[in-house]
Amino acid sequence: MAGWLAVTLGACARFDFDPLQGSSGASAASAGSAGDGNAAAPGVGGAGSGGQAGSAAGGDGASGDAGAGGLGGSGGADGAAGTDGVGGSTDAGPSGIGGSSGAGGSSGDELPPCSVLGSFGAPEPLTGLGAGSFFSPAVFDDAHVLIFASSSPGDLFSARRATRGSPAFGDVSPLSVNTSSAEVTPWLSADGLELLFASDRSGAQSPRDLMRTTRPSLDAPFATPTFITEVNSFWTENLPSLHANGRLLVFSSDRPGGAGIMDLWQASRPGATGPFGNAGSIAALNGSSDDSGATLTGDARRVYFTSERPGGAGGRDLWFAERTDAGATFSAPRNLSEINGTADEADPAISADDRELFFATSRAGGSQLWHALRTCISP
């Protein structure tokens, strides 16, 4: 494993899932009969021994929908395009995440409409981030805002660009949550009000534990972060990712119960805020090799993740899986061959509309952030 990935894996990893389809469960508590409509255990249907979380589609609500964490309703593709900075605040406060700095927000989605997407075009490096080794990208405000981690000193940063699809970013700022400890693998909720990340700061049970912080509005500072105690264990947890509806958390962990050394796990909650339920391994996508760093599209029909499984182009590669709807089972994962090379590719972050992919790669030396746009087959 390349040196930069040895750093990021201890600090990173993302997610995958079927909305609870194939979850091994992290509790021996009975889930009742499959699909019994008991919503008391959000998203994991009581975690179910052997991963039987209600019906195969993860439906734990009485109506038979996808339940609290089943992603049956993603609430649209990360909000409407062109939200004028998601509140248009002239300054995002100490965190630097929110409306554009002094400009009143972004003007909307500059990519032309596309009804049928093709493969990804040639990837290119992001510019304007400064010198350093960067990993774990995540996007906000219709992909106008990028948040990411730096391996030295282990801090979180935000950057903004004026034009969707452009590789050129600027306005790089450290986040207010940074401390002398390591803060890595950030993820920002679709509304910009909840920030998740991994850290080794005092109080962690393992080399990396998940933390959360919230704020009441985009122009307010984030509160003091707290550990996500209902999810953390004595094993490593990192690379948290929230689906656009805010109810499903996916993360990576080397805890017992997975299929490999590092695996993808999930936990859900009944609403967009509050504590998560029991975590379960995502058996449908985990393999005997390391699986980590995943991201889900807004409609929950495609998932991207990082894997060292056989069949890749070399080192760590990006993989993806698809399904017909949010309640169906994912297809067998496929290698994202148009992106992968002989170097390492990891930590994918997809825009909610599935049109722009961000990832970390060692192809140019160290760990740098790149992006790629999907081609449009039909407007």
Side-chain angles (χ1 to χ4, degrees):
M1 183 182 295
W4 71 274
L5 278 171
V7 174
T8 59
L9 188 58
C12 312
R14 274 205 213 271
F15 87 132
D16 125 49
F17 73 57
D18 285 359
L20 308 177
Q21 176 71 26
S23 170
S24 68
S27 169
S30 171
S33 59
D36 61 4
N38 185 350
V44 264
S49 59
Q52 305 206 354
S55 69
D60 55 357
S63 64
D65 60 16
L71 302 181
S74 62
D78 206 12
T83 54
D84 290 332
V86 193
S89 61
T90 58
D91 191 297
S95 67
I97 308 172
S100 63
S101 179
S106 60
S107 59
D109 192 339
E110 294 86 1
L111 296 180
C114 185
S115 61
V116 181
L117 294 170
S119 60
F120 285 98
E124 59 181 340
L126 301 184
T127 62
L129 301 181
S133 184
F134 307 126
F135 60 96
S136 191
V139 290
F140 167 67
D141 186 14
D142 202 21
H144 286 88
V145 172
L146 174 76
I147 57 174
F148 59 96
S150 171
S151 62
S152 178
D155 282 341
L156 306 180
F157 293 84
S158 69
R160 174 175 283 278
R161 62 181 175 183
T163 305
R164 173 86 190 274
S166 169
F169 281 83
D171 297 328
V172 178
S173 302
L175 301 194
S176 63
V177 299
N178 292 331
T179 67
S180 58
S181 299
E183 286 82 26
V184 292
T185 67
W187 194 268
L188 192 65
S189 61
D191 61 9
L193 302 182
E194 184 174 22
L195 175 68
L196 309 181
F197 60 95
S199 181
D200 64 352
R201 63 176 65 182
S202 177
Q205 302 180 74
S206 69
R208 290 288 185 271
D209 269 358
L210 302 185
M211 302 195 75
R212 66 153 69 91
T213 177
T214 60
R215 57 182 176 180
S217 64
L218 291 175
D219 56 357
F222 281 107
T224 301
T226 58
F227 286 103
I228 308 179
T229 55
E230 68 270 26
V231 170
N232 292 328
S233 69
F234 291 106
W235 302 80
T236 293
E237 287 83 29
N238 53 40
L239 276 166
S241 178
L242 275 176
H243 181 253
N245 65 15
R247 297 183 298 164
L248 183 73
L249 168 68
V250 183
F251 61 97
S252 294
S253 180
D254 59 355
R255 65 180 65 185
I261 300 175
M262 185 67 67
D263 286 305
L264 304 174
W265 292 71
Q266 65 181 356
S268 63
R269 58 189 177 186
T273 61
F276 294 94
N278 291 330
S281 171
I282 306 166
L285 294 181
N286 287 327
S288 57
S289 301
D290 280 357
D291 299 293
S292 60
T295 178
L296 191 73
T297 57
D299 62 9
R301 294 172 59 184
R302 179 180 273 214
V303 62
Y304 299 88
F305 64 101
T306 307
S307 183
E308 292 185 348
R309 66 186 60 195
R316 293 167 65 79
D317 275 354
L318 303 185
W319 293 71
F320 74 100
E322 297 176 305
R323 57 184 176 185
T324 55
D325 58 63
T329 301
F330 278 112
S331 63
R334 289 180 283 169
N335 187 266
L336 195 61
S337 57
E338 66 263 37
I339 298 293
N340 294 318
T342 56
D344 289 311
E345 286 81 29
D347 298 356
I350 191 69
S351 61
D353 59 7
D354 197 17
R355 299 187 66 176
E356 187 172 15
L357 180 70
F358 298 81
F359 60 98
T361 179
S362 63
R363 65 183 65 188
S367 175
Q368 301 299 319
L369 302 184
W370 288 48
H371 82 141
L373 292 167
R374 289 186 72 178
T375 58
C376 183
I377 297 176
S378 178

